[in-house]
């Protein structure tokens, strides 16, 4: 057979978009520089530098559920064109949920986790794994993240 085979981009061609800087590239000194395909389009990074262009270093791929559950800012849910959209960072990051129920459950799980962390801050000696509410929230999150 003949035809074109889709090629993965070269390391220097791979780019990501940030809210404030537009396109950024993975720095050549990064462990992930030679990675040509990420299962998720989202990366978290520790350092951003600008030389000949904007680069990120110390980056890791992050999938959708950890980003929604552990990312900064408020989680919002809206119905848009018949789809339930979960959004973060004032709508800059958006995900389409499989159903209204899934969107509500993810939003509620995020609220429960936020409240659990607030409780832990107020009472540092609290053992999250020993309290029934904490262990249930943590086990639900672990199951969700490891089976997605």
């Amino acid at each position: 057979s003949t035809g074109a085979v889709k090629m993965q981009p070269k390391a220097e061609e791979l780019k990501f978009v940030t809210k404030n800087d537009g396109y950024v590239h993975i720095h050549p000194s990064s462990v992930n520089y030679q990675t040509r395909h990420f299962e998720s389009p989202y990366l978290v990074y520790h350092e951003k530098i600008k030389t000949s262009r904007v680069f990120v270093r110390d980056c890791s791929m992050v999938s959708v559920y950890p980003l929604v559950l552990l990312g900064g800012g408020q989680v919002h849910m809206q119905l848009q064109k018949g789809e339930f959209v979960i959004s973060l960072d004032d709508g800059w990051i958006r995900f389409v949920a499989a159903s209204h129920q899934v969107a509500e459950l993810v939003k509620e799980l995020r609220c429960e986790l936020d409240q659990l962390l607030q409780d832990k801050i107020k009472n540092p000696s609290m053992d999250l794994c020993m309290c029934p509410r904490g262990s249930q929230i943590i086990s639900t999150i672990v199951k969700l993240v490891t089976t997605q």
Side-chain angles (χ1 to χ4, degrees), residues 38-42 61-70 86 95-96 98 102 106 109 139-148:
F38 294 92
E39 292 296 318
S40 172
Y42 303 102
M61 183 202 75
V62 62
S63 53
V64 172
Y65 285 126
L67 186 59
V68 171
L69 295 172
L70 302 168
I86 300 170
F95 311 98
V96 176
V102 169
V106 169
L109 185 57
S139 66
T140 302
I141 290 170
V142 169
K143 188 173 184 179
L144 179 66
V145 169
T146 58
T147 61
Q148 73 177 37

Side-chain angles (χ1 to χ4, degrees), residues 24-35:
V24 299
H25 301 266
I26 298 175
H27 195 274
S29 69
S30 175
V31 171
N32 284 326
Y33 180 69
Q34 292 299 326
T35 303

Side-chain angles (χ1 to χ4, degrees), residues 68-85:
V68 171
L69 295 172
L70 302 168
Q74 295 293 315
V75 174
H76 299 283
M77 186 191 64
Q78 298 173 324
L79 179 61
Q80 295 178 349
K81 298 180 183 175
E83 296 180 315
F84 294 96
V85 177

Side-chain angles (χ1 to χ4, degrees), residues 42-53:
Y42 303 102
L43 293 182
V44 293
Y45 60 89
H46 174 68
E47 184 178 32
K48 183 171 53 175
I49 60 170
K50 183 174 183 179
T51 56
S52 58
R53 53 188 171 178

